[in-house]
Each structure stands twice: as structure tokens, then as C-alpha cells.
Amino acid sequence: MVYKLVKGTSDIIFNIENWRYLEEKAKELCSIYGYKEIRTPIIETAELYRRSVGQYTDIVSKEMYAFFDKAERFIALRPEGTAGVVRAYIENKIYSGNRITKWYYIGPMFRYERPQAGRSRQFHQFGVEVFNCSDPMLDAEIIALGMKYFDSIGLYDVKVELNSLGDVESRKKYIAALVSYFEKYEKSLNEDDRRRLQINPLRVLDSKDRKVKELLATAPKITSYLNEKSQTYFLKVLAYLDALDISYEVNPYLVRGLDYYQDTVFEFVASLGSNNKVCAIGGGGRYDKLVLQLGGPDVAGVGFGIGLERVLLSLTRSFLDKGITCYIIPLEEKVRLFCFKLLFLLRENNIRTDIAFENKKLKNNLKTALNLKAKFALIIGEEELREDAVQVKDLKTKIQEKVARTKLVSFLRVGLINEK
Ligand code: ATP
Ligand code: MG
């Protein structure tokens, strides 16, 4: 019996260097921008997502992995990062210092979706969340952070689409206009969209239905319903983006698949893989009422989530395994103790070293050294043991020379520097 992966999940084995690179770059950039890491649990109460992401969103109504635990608690595997981070912010009373809190996270999320390219059941997000700041400069900062992240990993053709959903007041007026527009076409709506129109009309803008998409062309646009405050706010966000020369496109129908947003919403869009299908690789926005809605004080929030699987699909370059520096090859049994000690001496000097375990032919061991992308093979026989020395073979130039063991570390360091 061969056990198989759960459908929609995957092992990360062969492109681990790419994954590490994506994660390290995110951490590096966040630290420069003043964001600290937060790690929240993979499981939360399902109710948290119903209250925040929204009961009628696809995420909560169709895609959530939720179950009762042995004590009949209703638990969900997190489908997104924001709700858990907001919960942690409130539960740990982080707001009490009345400071701005800038956090980032990287980790797995779970959604029960039909697996296909760029869509899996376990996927990974890099996200940021900022609390207690309603400066439009911050909205621009996090959009810029996302774009700089893509730049830093060599993904240059990402576009930003953004929109403003306005504040509660603006949105109320807009929703009324939207409902009366779509009511005229109620017969051409499918059941899902008809239900959305009644319960949560903005969700209709997010519809994947072709007919609805066509109707959208002449539907009212939120941008014409923004009150002065929301409009000024939005224009400031755009001005800050202009100041950084970040190009963007205002998409008045962008609402995003989660209920908690208001004012600024945005998506990072790129083409995915070989078929060049354009899709969102990340998205985010402002959620100034979410902390309050989840039982905390009236504290503003803004953030994004970027899907790392989709980022990897859009990346055409790959980051290769750097390989090791030295591979030690003992030529006979009696030198093995000497070699074992040498192995640890080099490692203690931060030189990445491995050794040929088990007795094999020199030729086979040299092959292994090449497979491991070693720069040097350190070959040791009886003569070297007697002289307390090592044969150092540069695997690129094939030049071999005998080096005293006591000089080996500095010899290797010089070799490594010359190579750079
Ligand atoms: P979509 O419309 O493609 O379903 P979404 O609006 O549901 O995306 P968000 O909730 O905004 O996605 O999540 C942010 C990012 O997380 C997405 O842009 C995407 O990169 C990634 N993501 C979301 N769902 C999946 C998934 N099932 N598999 C892989 N990545 C995902
Ligand atoms: Mg989705």
C-alpha cells in the first residue's frame, strides 16, 4: 500500500531553494520596513471567520475546512491570515499601548477548492497587517512593499489594480444604486447572484458569471458614490503611489472576496506560468471596522496577502542550490578518524562540508562531490595522514595541491574569496 498526498496538497522537495528565497526576501524586506513577525495558530474557531471574512463569501460558505473537535468546539483550518492576526491583536491587548503595530506572517492556509494551476487546498501566504493607523501614506506603503517584494525576487511585470469601497456612508448609497440596477435584470441572474443581491449586494461585483460580468459594464461605479472624505482619502493614496512612481490602474469593480474591507482595496496581478493566464497573485485593503466588529476597540487596520504558489508560478527564473564547499574523501579505513575530525573542524569554521560515508571507489566519490556541487574535494590517504595534510582538489579547475591541515581553513577561505 503506497500512501498518497491528500488531494490539493503538495510536498515541497525539489524547489525548496526557491521557497526559501521567497521567504527570506519577504523577511528581509519586512525588517527594513519595520514589520515584526507574528505567528498565529493554524486552527481558530470557525465563528471567527464567519464574523470577519463573512458568512456569505465563498471562502466561508464553500471553501472552509471546518469540523467539530472532541469537545464539540467548531474549529476551522485558517483559510486566510487576517482574522487570526486581528484576534491575536485584540486578545493580547496590543492596542493598549496606542502605538502603530506593523506585523507580517508567512504560512499555510487551507481552502477546499477544485485544485488546478495556482489553486490548491493547502497554499502559502506572505501577508502584512498594520493596526492603529489611518494615514493614506500607509496604504501606499504596503502597496509599495508588495511591489518592492516582487522586484526583489525578480518578478517585474506585476500590476497593481486598486479601488475605493468608500466608508460605510458612501457604500450604503452605492449599494442602493447597485441593487436597483441589478433588480432590473433579476431574471438573467443565476441563483447564487440573486441571493447575493439580497444579502450582500457588493458580492455581485465579484461574480464569475459571464452574463453578470457583461452587465457590469453599464452598472453604477462606486467611484461616483464616494463622499468627500473617502474621495480625498483615495486621491491621497494615489498621490503617494505616484510619488514612488508605482504604476497602478483604478478598477472601479474591484471588491475582493472578503467582507471586511472598506476604502482602499487592491490586487497584485501577474501572468501565471506557461499559459500566461493573468490573475491575482495577492490582494489586500483597509479594514478599519474589523477590530471593532471582532470585539476590540475602534482601531484601524490595513494589510495584504500574497499567494506564494502563484508567485512561484509567475517566476521564470529559479534560485539554484548553492551546493557545499568541501567534500572529504577518505581513501582508506585508517584515515577515517582523521577525516571525521577534519569534517567537524571545517564545520566549526562555518565551511559547508560533507564527507563520503561508507567505503567507495575514489571515482564514485568524486562523482558524488560534483552532484553535491562541492567546490573542493579533500582527498586523504595514508601519506596525507602521516604528514598531517590534505590533498585539495578544485573541482572546477581540476588543480590539486597538498595543504597542511593547520593551514587548511585559511587556504579554503582565500580560495572562496578569489572565486567571488
Ligand atoms: P481567487 O479569486 O483566485 O480565488 P481570492 O480572492 O480567493 O483569489 P484572496 O483571498 O485574496 O484570494 O487571497 C490572496 C492570495 O492568496 C490570492 O491572490 C492567491 O495568490 C492566493 N490564493 C488564494 N486562494 C488560493 C488557493 N486556493 N491556492 C493557491 N493560492 C491561493
Ligand atoms: Mg478564492
Side-chain angles (χ1 to χ4, degrees):
M1 163 93 186
V2 178
Y3 291 100
K4 296 256 170 72
L5 281 168
V6 171
K7 186 174 174 185
T9 67
S10 49
D11 299 313
I12 302 174
I13 299 174
F14 302 109
N15 57 351
I16 193 74
E17 293 299 322
N18 285 357
W19 275 95
R20 286 172 56 98
Y21 191 85
L22 292 194
E23 290 166 7
E24 276 158 24
K25 276 290 165 190
K27 291 178 187 175
E28 208 176 291
L29 207 60
C30 282
S31 128
I32 296 171
Y33 282 60
Y35 290 68
K36 294 233 160 66
E37 187 178 0
I38 177 167
R39 300 185 188 186
T40 61
I42 304 272
I43 50 175
E44 297 276 356
T45 56
E47 176 64 12
L48 175 70
Y49 299 107
R50 200 181 63 82
R51 287 274 296 156
S52 55
V53 175
Q55 187 175 0
Y56 301 106
T57 58
D58 283 354
I59 295 179
V60 170
S61 64
K62 298 180 186 159
E63 300 169 359
M64 203 154 69
Y65 278 92
F67 58 94
F68 288 96
D69 75 2
K70 292 189 201 304
E72 299 290 301
R73 295 179 195 94
F74 194 34
I75 304 287
L77 299 188
R78 63 182 185 196
E80 57 95 59
T82 305
V85 172
V86 173
R87 194 239 349 109
Y89 179 80
I90 300 169
E91 192 169 352
N92 294 283
K93 299 196 172 58
I94 307 296
Y95 51 81
S96 62
N98 198 27
R99 285 186 212 98
I100 296 176
T101 303
K102 295 164 91 173
W103 274 332
Y104 77 91
Y105 57 84
I106 301 174
M109 308 292 160
F110 304 83
R111 294 185 195 176
Y112 194 77
E113 299 196 69
R114 202 163 62 79
Q116 52 196 288
R119 196 175 294 287
S120 48
R121 292 184 174 173
Q122 174 173 343
F123 61 98
H124 299 76
Q125 279 187 349
F126 154 43
V128 304
E129 315 290 349
V130 183
F131 297 97
N132 205 15
C133 175
S134 29
D135 189 330
M137 188 191 277
L138 175 64
D139 304 43
E141 169 178 294
I142 69 165
I143 293 171
L145 167 55
M147 292 303 273
K148 297 288 175 195
Y149 175 62
F150 299 127
D151 269 357
S152 76
I153 57 176
L155 193 60
Y156 302 115
D157 62 348
V158 183
K159 301 210 164 54
V160 184
E161 285 190 17
L162 79 168
N163 189 20
S164 171
L165 300 179
D167 56 9
V168 179
E169 184 196 51
S170 311
R171 216 162 39 244
K172 231 184 225 161
K173 284 193 192 136
Y174 175 61
I175 287 171
L178 194 68
V179 169
S180 71
Y181 172 81
F182 273 109
E183 268 169 1
K184 284 186 288 191
Y185 302 100
E186 208 166 343
K187 284 201 195 78
S188 26
L189 299 185
N190 63 38
E191 200 182 315
D192 261 2
D193 284 327
R194 223 174 293 152
R195 193 169 48 95
R196 286 191 183 116
L197 196 63
Q198 277 176 6
I199 307 168
N200 193 348
L202 277 185
R203 290 268 71 79
V204 178
L205 301 187
D206 213 24
S207 170
K208 307 265 189 300
D209 191 288
R210 198 174 45 85
K211 256 195 227 126
V212 176
K213 284 186 167 174
E214 277 167 23
L215 286 173
L216 276 180
T218 49
K221 294 185 173 60
I222 179 90
T223 26
S224 337
Y225 289 80
L226 297 180
N227 61 18
E228 204 182 321
K229 188 165 158 248
S230 280
Q231 197 169 15
T232 312
Y233 191 94
F234 191 43
L235 291 177
K236 280 187 183 163
V237 175
L238 302 185
Y240 283 120
L241 290 174
D242 290 337
L244 295 180
D245 280 331
I246 289 176
S247 57
Y248 53 80
E249 202 174 303
V250 175
N251 171 358
Y253 299 119
L254 183 70
V255 285
R256 317 244 325 103
L258 308 89
D259 277 352
Y260 47 62
Y261 291 116
Q262 67 169 73
D263 284 309
T264 321
V265 286
F266 57 91
E267 275 182 356
F268 299 114
V269 179
S271 46
L272 275 206
S274 47
N275 62 4
N276 278 335
K277 203 180 119 208
V278 174
C279 83
I281 56 175
R286 195 159 260 292
Y287 48 83
D288 286 350
K289 292 290 164 226
L290 184 57
V291 178
L292 185 68
Q293 194 183 317
L294 291 179
D298 194 359
V299 162
V302 60
F304 69 58
I306 291 173
L308 294 181
E309 277 78 2
R310 290 193 194 170
V311 168
L312 272 179
L313 280 175
S314 339
L315 262 188
T316 43
R317 68 187 270 201
S318 72
F319 306 95
L320 294 176
D321 182 352
K322 287 198 289 286
I324 58 172
T325 305
C326 295
Y327 191 61
I328 300 178
I329 305 176
L331 290 181
E332 47 202 299
E333 186 59 35
K334 48 167 105 115
V335 303
R336 294 180 74 84
L337 280 179
F338 174 85
C339 289
F340 192 57
K341 285 206 279 193
L342 184 67
L343 172 67
F344 278 79
L345 173 81
L346 295 180
R347 287 175 174 170
E348 265 145 41
N349 280 281
N350 297 330
I351 297 173
R352 282 176 299 140
T353 307
D354 215 333
I355 191 165
F357 292 106
E358 297 174 345
N359 285 314
K360 286 197 191 106
K361 293 212 172 81
L362 176 61
K363 208 173 124 194
N364 288 342
N365 284 332
L366 283 172
K367 219 190 234 166
T368 308
L370 288 174
N371 282 338
L372 291 170
K373 301 195 185 83
K375 292 188 176 39
F376 303 105
L378 308 184
I379 304 165
I380 294 142
E382 208 175 339
E383 186 183 313
E384 286 72 31
L385 175 67
R386 215 178 322 114
E387 295 173 16
D388 195 17
V390 173
Q391 293 285 350
V392 180
K393 180 169 186 167
D394 184 318
L395 292 170
K396 213 186 264 163
T397 63
K398 308 280 187 243
I399 296 170
Q400 184 169 322
E401 56 187 299
K402 197 187 283 179
V403 179
R405 186 187 52 83
T406 49
K407 303 247 168 68
L408 184 61
V409 170
S410 51
F411 177 87
L412 292 170
R413 290 236 168 91
V414 172
L416 290 174
I417 291 166
N418 283 347
E419 200 177 69
K420 279 180 195 156

